[in-house]
Amino acid sequence: MADTVELKKHFWSKLASSPYMMVGLQDGQHSEPLTAQLDEDQIDTIFFFIGKDNRMAKGGPAMAQFVAKGHDFFACLAGTARIDNDFAMIDKLWDNQVEAWFPGGKQDPNLALLRLDIEDAEMWETDMSVTGKLKMLFGGKIRSDETGSHAKVDTTAES
C-alpha cells in the first residue's frame, strides 16, 4: 500500500502522462472532458483552456474526476474554478494542441484560461498485491490490504 505522499506523487505523475479529466461546476450541469494544463510551480492548481462561451467560464464550486489511462488510479477533486487570463500563464502553458482549438492563437477573442484551485481530493490506487490478484482470479476473498491505497487529502502538494 502506498502512503499519502506517494499517492499524491502518483496522481501528478499519472495526470501529466494522461491529462484528460471530467470537469464540472456544482450547479447541476453535467461534467465535460477537458485537458489539464499543469504548472509545477502552482500547488493545488490545474489549468484548462476553454472558450469564453463554455459553461465553465462563469466559475464557482467545481469538481473534477480523473481516471489514469491504465485504470489503476482514480481521483476526485473539489475546488473553485475561475477565469484567470494572466497572459504570462497563457504563454507558459500554450502548446500546439491548444492552438488547434483556438485558431486565433493566444489572442483568440474566445480564449479563456480556467483555473481550478483544489480544496480537497480523494484518491484511489489499485496497486493490488500478487496474492490479491490470485485470489481475485480464483474467486477467493480479498482483504482490504490486498486491494490498493486510498486517501482523503486537503492538499495535493507532494510533501
Side-chain angles (χ1 to χ4, degrees), residues 35-37 48-50 90 93-106 108 111-113:
T35 303
Q37 303 292 327
F48 306 91
F49 286 103
I50 63 171
I90 290 172
L93 299 173
W94 193 261
D95 62 23
N96 290 338
Q97 183 180 7
V98 176
E99 191 160 3
W101 287 95
F102 296 97
K106 297 173 195 173
D108 191 303
L111 176 69
L113 184 62

Side-chain angles (χ1 to χ4, degrees), residues 71-93:
H71 300 133
D72 59 351
F73 196 98
F74 306 85
C76 182
L77 314 170
T80 303
R82 65 181 172 85
I83 297 298
D84 181 2
N85 285 335
D86 173 29
F87 190 77
M89 187 58 67
I90 290 172
D91 192 51
K92 183 176 186 179
L93 299 173

Side-chain angles (χ1 to χ4, degrees), residues 82-141:
R82 65 181 172 85
I83 297 298
D84 181 2
N85 285 335
D86 173 29
F87 190 77
M89 187 58 67
I90 290 172
D91 192 51
K92 183 176 186 179
L93 299 173
W94 193 261
D95 62 23
N96 290 338
Q97 183 180 7
V98 176
E99 191 160 3
W101 287 95
F102 296 97
K106 297 173 195 173
Q107 303 299 328
D108 191 303
N110 194 39
L111 176 69
L113 184 62
L114 183 72
R115 174 188 179 117
L116 175 62
D117 292 309
I118 302 165
E119 295 163 9
D120 61 73
E122 196 161 358
M123 301 174 191
W124 299 262
E125 186 166 33
T126 58
D127 54 355
M128 188 177 292
S129 68
V130 172
T131 304
K133 288 177 184 174
L134 286 172
K135 285 181 180 179
M136 186 168 63
L137 182 65
F138 294 107
K141 184 172 177 157

Side-chain angles (χ1 to χ4, degrees), residues 20-58:
Y20 310 106
M21 304 183 82
M22 292 296 291
V23 186
L25 297 176
Q26 293 181 330
D27 62 359
Q29 293 192 51
H30 291 281
S31 295
E32 61 185 279
L34 294 175
T35 303
Q37 303 292 327
L38 307 178
D39 176 15
E40 63 186 34
D41 297 327
Q42 301 281 333
I43 297 172
D44 286 333
T45 303
I46 301 173
F47 295 93
F48 306 91
F49 286 103
I50 63 171
K52 289 180 181 174
D53 56 350
N54 183 293
R55 62 182 168 219
M56 295 287 299
K58 67 182 178 180

